[in-house]
Amino acid sequence: MTEIEASRTAPEAFEAGFRLRDVVVRELDARWPAGAGGLDEVCRHSLLPAGKLFRPCLLLASTQAVGGDPTSVLPAAVAAESGHVGSLIHDDIIDADAVRRGRPAAHHKYGVDEAIVAGDLLFFSLFECLAECHERGVPADRVVTAVTAISRAGMDLCRGQSLEARLTGRRVFEVGPYLEMVRLKTAALFRAACEVGGILGGGGPAALASLVSYANHLGVAFQVHDDLLAYTGDAQSAGKAPTSDVRNGRPVLPVILAHRDGGGSRRRRIEDCLAGRTDPVEALAALTMILRTSGAIDASLALAGRHAHAAVAALDGLPHGEGRDLLAEFVTRALAAIPGAETRAGTAASTAAEQGAGTGPKAGAATNTAGNRPG
């Protein structure tokens, strides 16, 4: 199996019946048409075919949840994906990952120089798209506030990337620093999407606080699930090669827990797997066995489940309606990659969605997706 085949994405769970995603795909395709050359070609290759589009969908649902018009903020949804994909292009260069979303990463196909500049272009495109919301009727003061929010998130993202590099380089096996890195690096763009959607939609302080809390918890739950994919026999749901974290010596949550709770022998074996002295495929197999026998995978799922439940509980601060229901549904769809509906995180998210999604027609939809794979 080639590296690309091993990391093929499968976003069925998120795509099926989630109309917001289809709207964003059409907009991306129109803005980055096929047949373009130069940097536009690099950007289109990185953006389309689209991934899960979590962040754009979160933005649109957040706007709807505070009573705003999602159509007026569609350019901001494109902005959210532009910022995310720009960061992925740079991430792949840093991690030397040759694959993204089942095809060659931008730097692998077009060269490092072109990929770096394409990532930068997408970052600047983000601000152009936000400004476009004013042309669609969003008040200028809301756009300015949204720019402030997304700028803060971008700075957090950079700090999180830097912290991850330090934790990896020093082999820090501690839960606290790991969660801080996740809050900065992963949750930042979830937080920006929800906050910007709420701001542009006219949400008040209480509603925005609920959206930020929701996004922070969702970001942690999502990253923990993402970290588990390489160790659960579900590499097809990952957008990168399953050996990436091991090859880069990255202590993710289940590895941290197994190391923390293990004796000297287990700790040395974990450290050896991440030291780069063993073939990455062999190291991944050995580390997978350790995590499965140590209970670290179950413990990680339990932590993700608690954050998933807290994410849906945070929606209590929003008015009942389709937007809130979509956000509740989103939690289960986003966390359905780990096989088996019986997993703690999947069960917690589904239960929370049932309890907190309101009374609209979509309130219970999330409970039917556990066990599917969002890609």
Side-chain angles (χ1 to χ4, degrees):
M1 180 180 291
T2 68
E3 189 176 32
I4 291 178
E5 289 171 338
S7 61
R8 187 77 62 188
T9 56
E12 296 90 348
F14 193 75
E15 290 181 9
F18 209 79
R19 59 178 175 76
L20 293 181
R21 185 184 185 281
D22 297 333
V23 172
V24 178
V25 169
R26 289 194 295 271
E27 187 71 12
L28 286 170
D29 187 58
R31 287 171 180 264
W32 301 94
L39 283 178
D40 287 349
E41 178 184 345
V42 184
C43 291
R44 181 180 171 89
H45 169 83
S46 302
L47 289 162
L48 295 163
K52 297 174 286 284
L53 298 179
F54 285 171
R55 294 147 195 86
C57 292
L58 280 174
L59 191 149
L60 295 174
S62 295
T63 296
Q64 190 171 1
V66 299
D69 176 15
T71 303
S72 67
V73 304
L74 186 55
V78 173
E81 185 66 3
S82 297
H84 171 56
V85 170
S87 73
L88 293 182
I89 292 174
H90 289 177
D91 265 358
D92 289 339
I93 295 170
I94 293 170
D95 294 342
D97 283 334
V99 172
R100 173 61 63 179
R101 295 176 176 171
R103 56 190 186 274
H107 72 94
H108 194 68
K109 182 176 176 67
Y110 297 100
V112 172
D113 292 352
E114 283 285 276
I116 290 174
V117 180
D120 292 342
L121 188 155
L122 288 173
F123 293 142
F124 284 109
S125 170
L126 178 159
F127 292 103
E128 181 184 39
C129 288
L130 280 177
E132 190 179 324
C133 291
H134 181 50
E135 301 172 10
R136 297 200 176 199
V138 177
D141 62 328
R142 294 184 191 174
V143 175
V144 172
T145 304
V147 169
T148 301
I150 206 161
S151 299
R152 286 198 308 263
M155 290 187 287
D156 279 349
L157 174 64
C158 293
R159 293 187 179 101
Q161 179 68 54
S162 176
L163 177 57
E164 181 181 57
R166 294 199 302 274
L167 296 179
T168 299
R170 299 170 187 172
R171 297 290 191 276
V172 176
F173 294 93
E174 297 178 18
V175 175
Y178 164 87
L179 291 177
E180 174 65 7
M181 180 273 294
V182 170
R183 185 189 70 79
L184 289 169
K185 183 181 177 183
T186 304
L189 292 185
F190 282 77
R191 188 166 59 248
C194 291
E195 188 174 12
V196 167
I199 291 168
L200 296 178
L208 294 179
S210 293
L211 288 170
V212 167
S213 178
Y214 163 86
N216 280 329
H217 286 295
L218 176 62
V220 174
F222 174 81
Q223 186 60 59
V224 171
H225 265 247
D226 196 60
D227 288 344
L228 285 166
L229 293 177
Y231 303 107
T232 57
D234 194 40
Q236 289 184 345
S237 289
K240 59 187 179 182
T243 56
S244 178
D245 286 338
V246 171
R247 176 169 46 79
N248 285 288
R250 187 173 294 125
V252 296
L253 181 64
V255 175
I256 292 170
L257 295 178
H259 186 276
R260 182 195 67 184
D261 299 335
S265 175
R266 184 200 290 171
R267 291 184 176 185
R268 285 190 295 273
R269 282 186 290 145
I270 291 173
E271 292 164 10
D272 286 344
C273 288
L274 298 181
R277 294 188 293 267
T278 307
D279 175 79
V281 175
E282 295 178 6
L284 176 62
L287 194 51
T288 298
M289 183 61 66
I290 293 171
L291 300 187
R292 287 179 175 175
T293 57
S294 68
I297 289 177
D298 284 344
S300 298
L301 285 169
L303 184 146
R306 291 193 293 274
H307 280 280
H309 195 284
V312 179
L315 298 177
D316 287 346
L318 298 173
H320 289 289
E322 185 179 14
R324 172 173 158 173
D325 293 348
L326 286 171
L327 290 171
E329 178 183 0
F330 188 96
V331 176
T332 299
R333 286 181 178 261
L335 304 183
I338 301 298
E342 72 282 359
T343 58
R344 290 189 179 95
T347 300
S350 296
T351 300
E354 280 187 303
Q355 295 173 347
T359 58
K362 293 185 180 288
T367 62
N368 297 323
T369 63
N372 293 330
R373 299 174 179 172

